[in-house]
Amino acid sequence: MENLVESLKEQLKEKGYKLTTQRRIILDVILENQGKHLSPEEIYEKVRGKFPEIGLATVYRTLQLFEELNIIYKLNFNDGCSRYELNTNNGDHQHHHLICLNCGKVIEVQLDLLEALEEEIEKSREFKIVDHNLKFFGYCKDCKK
Amino acid sequence: MENLVESLKEQLKEKGYKLTTQRRIILDVILENQGKHLSPEEIYEKVRGKFPEIGLATVYRTLQLFEELNIIYKLNFNDGCSRYELNTNNGDHQHHHLICLNCGKVIEVQLDLLEALEEEIEKSREFKIVDHNLKFFGYCKDCKK
DNA sequence: TTAATTGCAAATGGTTTGCAATATT
DNA sequence: AATATTGCAAACCATTTGCAATTAA
């Protein structure tokens, strides 16, 4: 996804921000770990492998920035930290998460099927929906016994 | 819902726990504020009106206990604190939340319509679903302009 | 009586912030 | 050169914990 680095550069320039080594490396780490839902601490550790001088605060600030730019999404799996995933743009956040209550594993489901529900809500509640977030809790194959 | 206090007493006794004044008052406050999604701090303030000696830690511990007993659900609206709602048991958590990105208002939607999706997931992913959590983000009537 | 519970204060841990030094434009 | 960004350490703030005193059973 080399075009994502280009797109980042453009978006930053547009807003008067700068493309720093730190920001490029953080994006690299996120790209290299698609589907992994990394936490800020985990990203920090992986970035340190490539750029040991980086500070944790920079990681937090960069993740906030990337979220504003819609490059990533913040997730909450109730495990004590926030987690992030790449916004792949292929249909706009159209997948859900299965969270195992026993082992904590998170499985992605590439299904949406919420259109009917969204339509009904938009009509009857006068609410303009721009995003959704659906999590299922239960037990994965290994933990079902 | 006087029967909820009775049910609480039974559930506590069953597990060797005690029904204290604090626990009863916290349940009262939650019952009096159904649909409000109170935070621990907000519950603490309301409980203090009836029982000024209570400590914030007791509120946290009680909310944890009530969650274990399935009396309440913990919610996360990304606003910096956890929030709780009563588990009304009338169909088991079958409603969703609309969260306004402008004013932060949370609207409940009494619709489920996720059965088809759950069925498909359970079949094809070998995942036993026990709960779900669906949030829609967007703009409410007043904030749509 | 005795085991669970409480209130308090201190600790924890993820996240944010102030600031002087540094890097990008 | 001007301004954004960084690393560091300290601050923040929601939540948790240790403990001696208290309370429900």
Side-chain angles (χ1 to χ4, degrees):
Chain A
M1 308 282 137
E2 191 51 48
N3 49 338
L4 249 167
V5 180
E6 278 313 306
S7 150
L8 172 63
K9 205 186 288 186
E10 276 171 38
Q11 281 191 79
L12 291 175
K13 187 182 292 179
E14 201 173 295
K15 307 212 168 182
Y17 299 144
K18 292 170 180 171
L19 179 57
T20 62
T21 311
Q22 290 90 331
R23 286 174 179 169
R24 226 186 8 240
I25 293 181
I26 291 171
L27 182 61
D28 284 347
V29 164
I30 293 169
L31 287 171
E32 287 162 11
N33 290 276
Q34 269 194 259
K36 285 240 197 84
H37 317 109
L38 298 182
S39 67
E41 194 75 39
E42 288 167 348
I43 292 170
Y44 174 58
E45 286 308 325
K46 286 182 191 292
V47 170
R48 281 220 289 182
K50 304 171 181 230
F51 195 89
E53 321 86 285
I54 201 166
L56 181 55
T58 301
V59 174
Y60 274 100
R61 283 185 286 231
T62 303
L63 292 173
Q64 251 174 232
L65 175 66
F66 284 3
E67 214 197 344
E68 280 170 36
L69 299 178
N70 272 314
I71 293 170
I72 56 175
Y73 276 108
K74 187 194 274 200
L75 306 170
N76 186 307
F77 297 144
N78 262 352
D79 66 345
C81 60
S82 52
R83 298 186 166 276
Y84 292 87
E85 75 181 4
L86 197 66
N87 176 7
T88 49
N89 272 327
N90 62 345
D92 216 21
H93 210 209
Q94 309 290 30
H95 72 273
H96 315 305
H97 293 106
L98 311 180
I99 302 166
C100 180
L101 293 169
N102 187 59
C103 68
K105 185 164 53 196
V106 177
I107 301 161
E108 292 194 359
V109 185
Q110 302 298 332
L111 282 169
D112 190 6
L113 307 182
L114 253 44
E115 295 88 357
L117 189 49
E118 294 202 355
E119 238 172 73
E120 178 151 358
I121 287 170
E122 295 212 329
K123 265 186 208 146
S124 59
R125 325 275 148 167
E126 304 186 14
F127 190 94
K128 175 64 193 159
I129 295 172
V130 301
D131 194 11
H132 61 243
N133 178 323
L134 175 53
K135 289 176 283 198
F136 293 99
F137 300 92
Y139 299 95
C140 72
K141 189 168 50 173
D142 299 331
C143 296
K144 274 196 298 191
K145 277 196 303 308
Chain B
M1 309 285 137
E2 190 53 46
N3 49 337
L4 249 168
V5 180
E6 278 313 306
S7 150
L8 171 64
K9 202 186 289 186
E10 276 170 41
Q11 281 191 79
L12 291 174
K13 187 181 291 180
E14 201 173 295
K15 307 210 170 185
Y17 299 146
K18 293 170 180 172
L19 179 58
T20 63
T21 311
Q22 290 90 331
R23 286 176 179 170
R24 229 190 1 243
I25 292 181
I26 291 170
L27 181 61
D28 284 348
V29 165
I30 293 170
L31 287 171
E32 287 161 11
N33 291 277
Q34 270 194 256
K36 284 241 198 84
H37 316 111
L38 298 181
S39 66
E41 196 75 39
E42 288 165 349
I43 291 170
Y44 173 59
E45 286 309 324
K46 287 182 191 293
V47 170
R48 281 218 290 182
K50 304 171 180 229
F51 195 89
E53 320 87 286
I54 200 165
L56 182 54
T58 301
V59 173
Y60 274 99
R61 282 185 286 230
T62 303
L63 292 173
Q64 249 174 234
L65 175 65
F66 285 3
E67 213 197 347
E68 279 170 39
L69 299 177
N70 272 312
I71 293 169
I72 56 177
Y73 276 108
K74 186 194 275 196
L75 306 170
N76 186 306
F77 296 144
N78 262 353
D79 66 346
C81 60
S82 53
R83 299 187 166 276
Y84 291 87
E85 77 181 4
L86 198 64
N87 175 7
T88 49
N89 272 328
N90 62 346
D92 214 21
H93 210 210
Q94 307 291 30
H95 72 272
H96 315 304
H97 294 106
L98 311 181
I99 303 167
C100 180
L101 292 170
N102 188 58
C103 69
K105 184 164 53 195
V106 178
I107 302 160
E108 292 195 358
V109 185
Q110 302 297 332
L111 283 169
D112 191 7
L113 306 182
L114 253 42
E115 296 87 357
L117 190 48
E118 293 202 356
E119 237 171 77
E120 179 153 357
I121 287 169
E122 295 213 330
K123 266 185 210 147
S124 60
R125 324 275 148 166
E126 304 186 13
F127 190 93
K128 175 64 193 160
I129 294 172
V130 301
D131 195 11
H132 61 242
N133 178 322
L134 175 53
K135 290 176 284 198
F136 293 98
F137 300 92
Y139 298 95
C140 71
K141 189 167 51 178
D142 300 331
C143 295
K144 273 196 299 190
K145 276 197 307 302

